[in-house]
Amino acid sequence: MDAEVVADIVPVRRPGSAVAVVAQEEEPDPDAWLPPEAEEDVRAGIPKSTERAYNTDMRLFAEWCTVAGRRSMPAAQQSVTAYMSYLKRTPRERTKVPYSPSSMRRILAAIRAAHRAAGLQPPDTMGANKVIRGYEAELSNAKDPRAKPRKATPADRDVLEDALGHLDRATFPGKRDAALMLLGHAIASRGSELVPLDWPSSFTMQPDGGMVVKVYRVKRKMWQDVTVPLDPDPALCAVRAVQDLVAALEGVGRGQGPLFLRTGPHGEIAPEMTRGGKPIGDPAGRMTSEAASDVVDRSVRRTGRAGVWRSHSLRRGFVKSSRQSKVDIVRIGRHGGWGDKSKALIGYVDEDDAAGEMNPLTQIGKAAAGGGEEQG
């Protein structure tokens, strides 16, 4: 997620300009408070990546408000609208371009979430959303790629076969990376669903040689048992790749616990990490979702393929592989933990179908050619 300090000059309030005034608040509700344990439970329900991005977004908004002479909490709707206008026009230090519309929507969500967490009424965002919609139209007319959300490129079976061919699967990092990519594709997982898996508690081996993986689907807040059979191609078999990784872990006394462990520059398993002399990261050595994305990006880029390669590429790649094999969309959705009416899944299917054999015009052309042969 984008989360950077905006380093350019912040506009200040001009003399004589109107100052937003908050309406007088009603008598506070005496029950509008939470005990510490309830606050902890609420925080536990927010994905760590989302919490980090939201915290950064709100901090940057508060910094802008301080310089601009505005109040960040509770924020007036005019302040939020002005901030969106500022972000639209101000290049960021690293990218040299302003935020994208999708990032600006995330920032709006962060501001509203911060208000709700503080027991305050979130500001009206009608004006802010109009700024973003106008910005999208400008970018679209200019054919700027920021007009479209930056999506992960699907890593389907062909991509995985190519990427795995560049791995040294005799080493621990090679075994780990192969298992991560093949299992992520097989269970259609997000990175945040893949790295929490433990051996053996997340797996149940089956009499036929396959396995059942217990996955927590983070968006739907539900557990799912996903069946993964043996693949006819041993090199692309998620079950065999997991077994190879487990054997390597058992060889160094790590046969129980996190399946996907971080490695050091020389392939050492789960090295200690510190910052400022203090330990950081999972003490057991578990990889992060960001590290899983780095594995996918690094592995696929070795093939020379262009694209946006992230851990989510495995989930999208499962959809593409399934559609190439003409699997019904309902079966795809239920295997991957999507709801039966998931707009995200329908969007993936539409994109993949448009570029392949399932394209309606391709099907029409084949039908017409077949009909013509029969008549001839």
Side-chain angles (χ1 to χ4, degrees):
M1 287 187 175
D2 293 319
E4 286 188 55
V5 174
V6 182
D8 294 74
I9 298 173
V10 180
V12 297
R13 181 168 60 85
R14 294 189 299 273
S17 60
V19 179
V21 178
V22 181
Q24 178 131 11
E25 295 183 3
E26 297 178 0
E27 193 70 25
D29 185 344
D31 288 337
W33 63 279
L34 289 174
E37 62 271 19
E39 291 182 351
E40 291 180 9
D41 291 340
V42 170
R43 283 195 294 271
I46 304 173
K48 293 298 182 185
S49 58
T50 301
E51 184 178 15
R52 286 195 299 269
Y54 276 21
N55 287 342
T56 300
D57 291 337
M58 190 59 202
R59 175 176 58 80
L60 297 179
F61 174 61
E63 290 174 359
W64 177 87
C65 286
T66 298
V67 178
R70 292 175 178 266
R71 183 188 58 249
S72 61
M73 292 281 278
Q77 63 175 350
Q78 293 89 344
S79 296
V80 180
T81 302
Y83 186 55
M84 291 299 108
S85 179
Y86 167 71
L87 295 180
K88 165 189 169 182
R89 290 174 166 79
T90 307
R92 290 174 294 154
E93 186 176 10
R94 180 175 63 85
T95 63
K96 309 305 180 187
V97 295
Y99 277 98
S100 67
S102 60
S103 293
M104 289 166 65
R105 285 201 170 89
R106 187 202 68 229
I107 293 167
L108 275 186
I111 294 171
R112 291 179 61 83
H115 280 70
R116 286 192 294 269
L120 299 171
Q121 178 67 31
D124 187 292
T125 56
M126 181 185 300
N129 278 308
K130 287 181 178 178
V131 171
I132 297 174
R133 286 196 293 271
Y135 184 31
E136 284 176 324
E138 290 176 20
L139 294 176
S140 180
N141 290 335
K143 296 181 172 55
D144 191 304
R146 285 175 295 152
K148 295 180 65 177
R150 195 165 181 257
K151 297 181 180 179
T153 307
D156 62 8
R157 190 178 174 90
D158 290 339
V159 171
L160 291 179
E161 183 176 22
D162 198 2
L164 291 170
H166 290 74
L167 286 180
D168 182 358
R169 297 177 71 169
T171 65
F172 176 79
K175 294 178 189 293
R176 181 202 62 188
D177 295 356
L180 185 148
M181 290 191 290
L182 288 172
L183 184 61
H185 179 271
I187 64 176
S189 72
R190 302 171 178 86
S192 56
E193 297 167 349
L194 190 59
V195 296
L197 297 177
D198 291 325
W199 181 270
S201 59
S202 300
F203 298 83
T204 303
M205 304 309 296
Q206 301 297 292
D208 61 3
M211 63 188 183
V212 175
V213 186
K214 192 174 189 62
V215 184
Y216 184 69
R217 299 298 187 185
V218 296
K219 289 293 181 69
R220 299 187 69 195
K221 304 293 188 292
M222 56 171 278
W223 287 97
Q224 181 188 6
D225 289 335
V226 184
T227 300
V228 181
L230 289 168
D231 193 283
D233 184 344
L236 295 177
C237 181
V239 177
R240 295 183 178 93
V242 168
Q243 290 173 329
D244 286 347
L245 175 58
V246 169
L249 290 169
E250 289 176 341
V252 293
R254 299 296 296 262
Q256 293 187 352
L259 181 63
F260 298 113
L261 296 172
R262 61 178 180 261
T263 56
H266 305 293
E268 61 272 28
I269 299 174
E272 183 180 1
M273 298 192 304
T274 61
R275 181 181 296 134
K278 296 181 179 180
I280 60 173
D282 188 298
R286 189 188 305 274
M287 293 175 66
T288 62
S289 298
E290 292 81 4
S293 284
D294 290 342
V295 166
V296 177
D297 181 64
R298 181 173 61 246
S299 299
V300 179
R301 286 196 181 282
R302 290 195 189 104
T303 70
R305 292 175 181 263
V308 179
W309 305 108
R310 311 296 295 160
S311 59
H312 207 80
S313 296
L314 305 173
R315 184 165 169 83
R316 291 208 62 189
F318 166 78
V319 176
K320 185 174 182 180
S321 298
S322 299
R323 290 302 288 168
Q324 289 170 339
S325 301
K326 298 180 171 57
V327 179
D328 179 75
I329 185 173
V330 173
R331 292 171 59 200
I332 294 173
R334 291 179 179 174
H335 182 93
W338 284 280
D340 287 349
K341 297 181 180 180
S342 170
K343 292 182 179 179
L345 176 58
I346 292 172
Y348 294 160
V349 170
D350 285 346
E351 288 183 27
D352 294 332
D353 285 359
E357 288 295 312
M358 299 299 289
N359 182 293
L361 293 177
T362 301
Q363 296 293 314
I364 291 170
K366 284 185 174 181
E373 291 174 2
E374 291 177 4
Q375 292 174 359

